[in-house]
Amino acid sequence: MPSISFLGTGSGFPNADRFFASSLLLLKEKHLLIDAGEPCVHSLRDRGTLIRDLDAILITHGHVDHIGGLPALLQGAMLLGRKKPLEIALPEEMISPIRAWIRALYLTEEGLGFSIAWLAWHDRESLSLGDGALFAKPFSNRHLEVCYRSLHTSDAVHPCNSYSLEIIADDFRAIFSGDLSSADDLAELVATPANVLVSELSHVGPKELATVLHEADIQALCLIHLSEDLANEATELRVKMEELLPKIADIFIPEDGEILDF
Ligand SMILES: [Zn+2]
């Protein structure tokens, strides 16, 4: 039975109640970690042998609240004696810097005790994961482009790609928004029926999101990565979204640690 465990539902703001972005999708007996915000290694440790059993890590983009927990997760897997190979899918531009970061932390990939397959996202090209049990397809969006524009930096920093993800196994289809530039980034993804959409709600507003989802055939909508003001009014937000989106059967605003079963 598919499920999503919400390990971290916070935004990029420090928050005592919500950790950084990280969700665990169980699908066809495969465990996928969607983003690896801190402190995902501790959250996974609470769930039995998952640090050893995790099949793949899917990184939507390189903002620290989505990837900052990765080195500690790799170190934790090493310390717990993981042997199982690990797939990590991420924006192509990040692979070399992330591997250098791991080396800078005195971790060597050779010394981890398990192999890592570094898989690059390419826009709208499906990756086969978990020994072919499921497929993940990235849809590039303009989230980082918009963020860098607002930085007013003269540095020659080239923003990496940012992706929304479609994950499919048999007839189950899940969508993870990642961070967005606007709700329109989701339009193509929600034009096809889905069992669940896990969407951020800090770079887009509730009404904007509802406009794109109004005709969508989606069973469950989970709202995470809420802006500070919305996070303080979660109950009101849920009522509002239920009014705006009467066709969606279930709308959830999960807390950290909550699990949604399908
Ligand atoms: Zn971001």
Side-chain angles (χ1 to χ4, degrees):
M1 188 168 66
S3 71
I4 300 175
S5 300
F6 296 93
L7 307 182
T9 62
S11 70
F13 283 77
N15 189 307
D17 301 317
R18 293 175 183 267
F19 292 143
F20 287 149
S22 193
S23 302
L24 183 74
L25 173 64
L26 170 61
L27 189 53
K28 284 201 83 174
E29 300 181 5
K30 303 294 181 183
H31 291 93
L32 308 183
L33 190 67
I34 318 299
D35 283 327
E38 293 178 280
C40 59
V41 67
H42 301 302
S43 307
L44 288 170
R45 187 79 206 270
D46 287 344
R47 288 168 170 72
T49 60
L50 269 175
I51 294 174
R52 288 199 296 265
D53 295 340
L54 191 65
D55 291 279
I57 300 171
L58 282 57
I59 302 294
T60 58
H61 69 297
H63 272 150
V64 68
D65 52 315
H66 294 256
I67 198 169
L70 183 63
L73 178 53
L74 297 178
Q75 177 173 284
M78 176 186 73
L79 295 173
L80 291 170
R82 179 182 175 114
K83 299 297 178 202
K84 182 177 177 177
L86 178 65
E87 295 171 313
I88 302 179
L90 69 172
E92 186 168 27
E93 302 91 333
M94 294 184 63
I95 293 177
S96 179
I98 292 295
R99 296 180 82 175
W101 185 26
I102 290 166
R103 286 194 299 275
L105 299 171
Y106 306 105
L107 294 168
T108 65
E109 289 183 46
E110 299 75 23
L112 289 176
F114 57 93
S115 63
I116 298 175
W118 298 94
L119 308 172
W121 294 129
H122 296 291
D123 190 24
R124 291 167 171 74
E125 289 184 18
S126 281
L127 281 180
S128 171
L129 298 170
D131 298 322
L134 38 82
F135 296 90
K137 185 191 282 190
F139 291 71
S140 68
N141 65 50
R142 297 177 55 247
H143 167 64
L144 286 169
E145 191 183 325
V146 170
C147 286
Y148 274 88
R149 198 186 297 149
S150 67
L151 281 179
H152 304 296
T153 176
S154 58
D155 293 345
V157 176
H158 298 285
C160 298
N161 284 310
S162 178
Y163 295 98
S164 302
L165 304 178
E166 170 195 75
I167 300 169
I168 292 180
D170 298 333
D171 58 355
F172 190 90
R173 181 170 183 264
I175 302 167
F176 289 82
S177 74
D179 283 2
L180 302 167
S181 65
S182 75
D184 287 339
D185 288 333
L186 290 174
E188 181 180 347
L189 277 157
V190 301
T192 305
N195 298 80
V196 60
L197 165 64
V198 179
S199 181
E200 68 117 325
L201 208 55
S202 58
H203 303 93
V204 300
K207 283 185 181 171
E208 185 188 355
L209 182 66
T211 300
V212 171
L213 299 183
H214 202 258
E215 300 304 320
D217 183 357
I218 290 170
Q219 290 175 24
L221 170 63
C222 304
L223 299 170
I224 60 171
H225 207 288
L226 306 184
S227 61
E228 291 289 279
D229 54 335
L230 292 176
N232 291 327
E233 298 179 354
T235 303
E236 293 89 336
L237 173 62
R238 178 173 170 169
V239 170
K240 182 178 181 178
M241 295 305 281
E242 286 172 344
E243 289 173 0
L244 291 168
L245 296 166
K247 286 174 64 177
I248 296 181
D250 296 303
I251 296 179
F252 298 104
I253 303 178
E255 304 277 336
D256 283 14
E258 284 199 73
I259 299 174
L260 178 61
D261 293 314
F262 294 91

